[in-house]
Amino acid sequence: MKKFICLAIGCLVHLSFVFSQDEMVAGWTFPDNSLAADTGAAINLSQEIFTVGGTSAIELKNGFTTKAAQASGWNDGMETKAWVITISSGGFSNLSISSRQQSGGTDPGPKYFKLQYSVDGGNGWEDIPGGDIIAENDWETSFVDQLPLPEACDDLDELSIRWLMASNEASGPGGNVQEIGKSKIDEIYIRGELINGIADHGETAVTVRPGASAKSLRIEARREIQEIYISSLSGQALGSRPVKSKSIEIDLSAHRSSQLLLITIRYKNSPEYQTLKYFLP
């Protein structure tokens, strides 16, 4: 069976996925003394926000609702200093980002930021269309409200996003940012649609969608299914089940939540099989 699953994964069929459900992928609201995401998929809850380029250490100060991440030391930081998060977007598509920033008051921080993304561990960065941000001494001027992320951000083991300092100009009356200038960030949300499978290839049309419970899935096909194989994205075999029917509901409560599963389907009296991805909430 394991040999079969490895072969199936190696020959993964390109499928289109149209079933969707909006979910929180990762979120930072800093309700306590932690820089880690406090909402979203379990795989992202250990991910901490950080800065690059040589700012001060991050502190947690008064935020939009509870606390916010704050750092100083943004002087001479144009195109080098940034707020950064790294998450997994595995199992999600049609992503969007929201955030709020505040610069200054008596210690004005950077006025201009731009949102960028990286799909290669931060080696290369691309601008997010519409991601130019102006930050002032309030939480509204900088508000980014569910800005769509490029399709290249979908379904990745590692996705990095940064708020890059785009100018040395300080908020408020202007002038350049000084070493004591402060920048805050809060209410960061990455949302997306769960990727669950549906493929339409004539006689081998099949759908994979949530079942009656949160940890079950229902598979419906146009042809009779002989057997179903379940494996992890890395190729680890998680089980198989004979079917001899065109539809079946499978209990997945024994499997770890917040992971992508590969569902490989073999049809009766046929060497054909299909493999679809399914994100287990």
Side-chain angles (χ1 to χ4, degrees):
M1 181 187 73
K2 187 173 183 180
K3 181 178 180 181
F4 177 88
I5 292 175
C6 292
L7 175 63
I9 293 169
C11 300
L12 183 64
V13 182
H14 176 72
L15 303 173
S16 60
F17 303 106
V18 300
F19 180 83
S20 63
Q21 180 180 352
D22 185 64
E23 295 284 346
M24 184 69 68
V25 182
W28 286 258
T29 61
F30 311 106
D32 49 34
N33 294 315
S34 173
L35 298 177
D38 52 87
T39 186
I43 194 172
N44 290 321
L45 295 181
S46 62
Q47 298 301 313
E48 294 188 349
I49 190 169
F50 59 96
T51 63
V52 294
T55 73
S56 72
I58 299 175
E59 301 177 279
L60 291 170
K61 298 294 184 178
N62 292 336
F64 180 68
T65 53
T66 55
K67 295 183 179 181
Q70 173 183 291
S72 57
W74 296 89
N75 51 302
D76 301 318
M78 177 179 173
E79 300 290 340
T80 60
K81 298 183 180 182
W83 293 102
V84 186
I85 58 172
T86 298
I87 66 168
S88 168
S89 64
F92 294 92
S93 65
N94 296 324
L95 300 172
S96 68
I97 185 168
S98 302
S99 66
R100 296 179 187 269
Q101 290 174 262
Q102 185 188 80
S103 284
T106 56
D107 301 318
K111 181 174 183 177
Y112 297 105
F113 289 85
K114 59 182 176 181
L115 278 165
Q116 296 183 320
Y117 71 94
S118 173
V119 300
D120 61 0
N123 293 312
W125 293 90
E126 300 288 341
D127 291 347
I128 297 172
D132 295 325
I133 297 171
I134 299 175
E136 293 287 3
N137 188 31
D138 59 62
W139 290 108
E140 299 303 325
T141 305
S142 64
F143 183 35
V144 176
D145 186 12
Q146 296 191 52
L147 178 69
L149 297 180
E151 186 177 352
C153 297
D154 294 353
D155 196 19
L156 298 175
D157 290 337
E158 184 175 310
L159 168 66
S160 297
I161 295 174
R162 70 179 182 180
W163 293 252
L164 179 67
M165 184 174 164
S167 166
N168 286 326
E169 184 178 343
S171 62
N176 286 343
V177 178
Q178 302 301 305
E179 185 174 0
I180 60 172
K182 296 180 176 62
S183 172
K184 289 183 177 182
I185 192 166
D186 199 2
E187 300 288 316
I188 301 168
Y189 299 114
I190 311 296
R191 292 181 172 87
E193 295 177 353
L194 286 174
I195 297 173
N196 292 313
I198 179 169
D200 192 349
H201 298 288
E203 289 188 359
T204 56
V206 61
T207 62
V208 179
R209 54 169 53 100
S213 67
K215 296 201 67 173
S216 68
L217 64 83
R218 183 164 185 81
I219 299 172
E220 298 177 351
R222 192 168 295 172
R223 291 178 57 186
E224 184 173 323
I225 300 169
Q226 183 74 24
E227 194 160 14
I228 292 172
Y229 303 87
I230 302 174
S231 59
S232 68
L233 196 60
S234 64
Q236 178 186 5
L238 301 177
S240 65
R241 182 168 178 177
V243 179
K244 296 183 179 179
S245 174
K246 293 183 180 180
S247 64
I248 186 174
E249 186 153 329
I250 300 175
D251 180 17
L252 298 174
S253 58
H255 300 305
R256 177 174 56 84
S257 298
S258 299
Q259 68 168 319
L260 269 177
L261 301 178
L262 298 180
I263 311 298
T264 300
I265 299 168
R266 184 164 64 90
Y267 295 99
K268 182 180 179 181
N269 299 326
S270 173
E272 296 178 2
Y273 56 81
Q274 289 177 304
T275 302
L276 296 86
K277 289 185 289 185
Y278 181 81
F279 184 82
L280 182 62

